[in-house]
């Protein structure tokens, strides 16, 4: 029975969807709180994570945890060496405030101020009166601060991300081909696209964005940029409304208690796979890219100048992509690429509509299939129906125009006949328009011409 319970807990932990959360603890008085105190605090709670003092600001302790669930509970090791959901972020923030002295905690983008313990100091008698006069103002400020802290604790949110820097690069996005003409027009640059299953590889002279005011951001997108100013690499992964960034500066070391010889294997494996480069690799692969998680993780740990070839190889993308991003080859050199040019509004709409009808859009597949059957596969059927309709409309129109025995014409027959003839002509014109647009704009891209990753 005990074995079954342990096995059930293990399977539950493996099925839990963890995601990384970053935070900082600023030691406002290093004499009251040392880095060792912070490490021991996480060890006492057996919280799994990464963290170390900031190289540029040693008083700041940067850390990364894994959270899961609606209440964002942190990954913790229990007595049975199983990974469980421990304290919530709100509870953890309060615990840090209670145990550490004179610190400021920034967790998940929200700054929480703890109790300001200043220790014991000598104060001259002549300043006591001045301090007592300020006590009322200080009490009011503390009350306001406490209200702000509680409000912030109840409203944890993702930190706001800055804009992606300019530079050359590529993108992978879960988007339809019909959306790419709109991207090319809105970004005013030619965008090459390669179909990779359910996602698209996008490459251009400037790192392509994956959304515009006409197209909502896709559920999954990965953008790699070599910035124009210094050539430094940047990887941005957006998944289900959240964003993660990686700049090849390395990952934080595991908490000290996870580096000890007697550390649980389950905890050390977890911190390797779910945090740092591991967490970024999982977000990048996202069960959509045909790549090995371990290969992508390793590609994120290479020196910055090796980032582009390592990532392209790990993702199984065409090697020609390296030369394109480096500016040594054109977009057309990528195998299987189709280049979408910026156009006018009417031309962009026509091409997007053609891709929808061809089955490479966001429209329901059954609806797109119906239009494809009418306009592409069986245009003769539409022509026959339109011809019969035009004949019937013409007969009704002529009957309405011809004077009856009373010497008057029939207005309703004239209107009905005119509408039938106009609709028939419009149907034939639409069939010819769509057939021509699809054949001219889509070609064989929507067929079996797909790049297979890893070959």
């Amino acid at each position: 029975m005990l074995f079954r319970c342990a096995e059930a807990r293990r399977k539950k932990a493996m099925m839990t969807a963890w995601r990384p959360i970053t935070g900082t603890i600023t030691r406002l008085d290093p004499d009251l709180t040392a880095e060792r105190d912070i490490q021991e605090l996480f060890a006492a709670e057996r919280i799994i994570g990464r963290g170390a003092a900031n190289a540029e600001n040693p008083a700041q302790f940067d850390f990364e945890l894994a959270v899961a669930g609606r209440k964002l509970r942190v990954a913790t090791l229990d007595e049975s060496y199983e990974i469980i959901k421990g304290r919530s972020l709100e509870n953890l923030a309060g615990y840090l405030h209670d145990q550490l002295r004179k610190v400021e905690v920034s967790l998940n983008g929200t700054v929480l101020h703890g109790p300001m313990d200043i220790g014991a100091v000598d104060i001259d008698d002549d300043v006591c009166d001045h301090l007592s006069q300020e006590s009322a103002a200080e009490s009011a400020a503390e009350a306001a601060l406490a209200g702000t802290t509680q409000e912030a604790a109840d409203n944890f949110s993702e930190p706001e991300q800055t804009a992606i820097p300019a530079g050359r690069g590529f993108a992978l996005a879960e988007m339809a081909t019909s959306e790419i003409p709109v991207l090319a027009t809105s970004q005013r640059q030619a965008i090459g696209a390669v179909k990779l299953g359910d996602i698209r590889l996008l490459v251009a002279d400037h790192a392509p964005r994956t959304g515009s005011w006409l197209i909502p951001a896709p559920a999954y997108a990965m953008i790699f940029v070599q910035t124009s100013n210094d050539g430094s690499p940047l990887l941005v992964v957006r998944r289900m409304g959240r964003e993660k960034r990686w700049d090849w500066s390395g990952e934080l070391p595991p908490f000290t208690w996870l580096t000890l010889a007697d550390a649980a294997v389950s905890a050390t494996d977890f911190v390797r796979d779910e945090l740092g480069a591991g967490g970024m690799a999982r977000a990048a692969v996202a069960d959509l890219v045909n790549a090995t998680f371990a290969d992508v993780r390793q590609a994120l740990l290479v020196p910055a100048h090796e980032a582009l070839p390592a990532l392209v190889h790990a993702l199984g993308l065409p090697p020609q992509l390296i030369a394109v991003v480096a500016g040594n080859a054109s977009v057309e050199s990528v195998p299987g690429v189709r280049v979408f040019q910026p156009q006018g509004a009417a031309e962009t709409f026509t091409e997007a509509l053609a891709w929808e009808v061809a089955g490479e859009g966001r429209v329901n597949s059954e609806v797109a299939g119906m239009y494809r059957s009418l306009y592409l596969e069986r245009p003769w059927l539409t022509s026959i129906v339109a011809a019969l309709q035009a004949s019937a409309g013409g007969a009704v129109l002529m009957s309405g125009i011809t004077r009856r025995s009373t010497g008057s014409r029939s207005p309703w027959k004239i209107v009905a006949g005119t509408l039938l003839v106009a609709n028939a002509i419009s149907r034939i014109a639409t069939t010819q328009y769509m057939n021509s647009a699809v054949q001219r704009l889509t070609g064989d891209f929507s067929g079996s011409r797909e790049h297979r990753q890893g070959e």
Side-chain angles (χ1 to χ4, degrees):
M1 184 67 179
L2 293 176
F3 174 78
R4 291 182 179 178
C5 291
E7 186 66 20
R9 289 197 302 269
R10 183 181 297 106
K11 290 182 178 179
K12 183 177 180 181
M14 292 176 61
M15 295 175 60
T16 302
W18 300 98
R19 65 184 180 91
I21 290 292
T22 58
T24 60
I25 299 175
T26 303
R27 298 179 292 124
L28 303 179
D29 188 343
D31 293 333
L32 295 177
T33 297
E35 180 183 351
R36 180 182 64 259
D37 299 326
I38 300 174
Q39 292 279 8
E40 291 176 352
L41 193 60
F42 285 119
E45 290 296 302
R46 303 170 71 88
I47 295 175
I48 303 173
R50 294 178 176 273
N54 188 288
E56 298 180 356
N57 181 12
Q60 177 177 306
F61 183 86
D62 299 326
F63 63 94
E64 183 182 21
L65 309 173
V67 298
R70 186 180 62 177
K71 294 186 178 181
L72 302 181
R73 298 187 178 276
V74 299
T76 306
L77 189 71
D78 68 2
E79 295 79 1
S80 303
Y81 301 102
E82 300 294 336
I83 311 298
I84 63 172
K85 289 183 285 187
R87 296 177 181 269
S88 67
L89 287 184
E90 179 181 355
N91 185 275
L92 176 61
Y95 176 72
L96 293 173
H97 291 163
D98 291 341
Q99 299 299 318
L100 300 174
R101 303 178 63 188
K102 202 172 183 182
V103 296
E104 179 182 281
V105 178
S106 176
L107 191 57
N108 197 30
T110 302
V111 178
L112 303 177
H113 300 277
M116 304 300 286
D117 183 355
I118 63 174
V121 295
D122 295 330
I123 302 177
D124 295 336
D125 293 337
D126 58 357
V127 299
C128 290
D129 294 338
H130 178 70
L131 292 176
S132 61
Q133 293 174 1
E134 293 183 346
S135 60
E138 291 176 354
S139 299
E142 290 177 358
L145 179 60
T148 304
T149 300
Q150 182 60 43
E151 181 181 358
D154 294 336
N155 294 279
F156 282 107
S157 61
E158 291 291 324
E160 183 179 354
Q161 299 293 347
T162 56
I164 297 176
R168 300 181 67 91
F170 64 89
L172 291 173
E174 188 181 11
M175 64 191 313
T177 306
S178 62
E179 296 172 318
I180 304 176
V182 181
L183 286 181
T185 299
S186 63
Q187 298 179 27
R188 298 180 181 179
Q189 67 170 339
I191 297 179
V194 179
K195 185 179 179 182
L196 307 174
D198 294 333
I199 62 176
R200 303 293 181 269
L201 166 64
L202 308 178
V203 58
D205 290 337
H206 304 283
R209 299 185 298 275
T210 56
S212 69
W213 63 277
L214 286 174
I215 299 176
Y220 164 82
M222 182 180 72
I223 304 175
F224 175 86
V225 181
Q226 278 195 330
T227 56
S228 301
N229 55 350
D230 58 0
S232 59
L234 175 66
L235 181 66
V236 180
V237 175
R238 293 170 177 164
R239 185 180 183 186
M240 304 302 292
R242 302 187 181 99
E243 180 177 305
K244 288 178 61 63
R245 297 191 173 207
W246 189 263
D247 60 3
W248 276 266
S249 60
E251 58 184 1
L252 292 170
F255 286 155
T256 303
W257 75 274
L258 294 171
T259 62
L260 301 178
D262 58 348
V265 176
S266 57
T268 56
D269 289 347
F270 182 89
V271 76
R272 180 196 63 206
D273 295 342
E274 299 292 344
L275 298 174
M280 189 69 188
R282 289 199 183 280
V285 173
D287 300 326
L288 290 170
V289 182
N290 186 19
T292 304
F293 159 76
D295 292 341
V296 176
R297 178 182 179 277
Q298 187 59 39
L300 299 178
L301 296 175
V302 301
H305 66 276
E306 300 177 8
L308 175 59
L311 186 62
V312 169
H313 177 74
L315 294 174
L317 301 177
Q320 294 85 349
L321 190 60
I322 301 173
V324 174
V325 175
N328 300 323
S330 64
V331 174
E332 290 80 0
S333 64
V334 179
V337 70
R338 183 184 183 93
V339 180
F340 294 82
Q341 299 289 346
Q343 308 171 87
E347 293 81 0
T348 301
F349 171 78
T350 299
E351 185 167 7
L353 182 60
W355 284 110
E356 289 284 352
V357 173
E360 294 285 337
R362 291 293 187 187
V363 176
N364 182 278
S365 57
E366 296 181 358
V367 176
M370 180 183 67
Y371 279 95
R372 189 163 56 252
S373 176
L374 289 175
Y375 295 135
L376 302 181
E377 299 172 0
R378 298 181 181 86
W380 54 269
L381 181 60
T382 304
S383 299
I384 292 176
V385 173
L388 293 175
Q389 181 179 329
S391 299
V396 173
L397 178 62
M398 292 304 297
S399 175
I401 294 177
T402 302
R403 292 181 180 274
R404 295 181 293 178
S405 58
T406 58
S408 61
R409 295 183 173 89
S410 176
W412 71 267
K413 287 186 177 181
I414 295 175
V415 173
T418 301
L419 291 176
L420 286 172
V421 173
N423 182 263
I425 296 174
S426 174
R427 183 171 299 175
I428 294 174
T430 301
T431 301
Q432 294 175 345
Y433 166 77
M434 289 308 307
N435 199 302
S436 173
V438 171
Q439 295 298 330
R440 175 172 56 89
L441 297 172
T442 68
D444 60 354
F445 184 79
S446 60
S448 60
R449 189 181 182 184
E450 298 183 7
H451 169 71
R452 298 190 177 277
Q453 302 176 41
E455 295 182 352

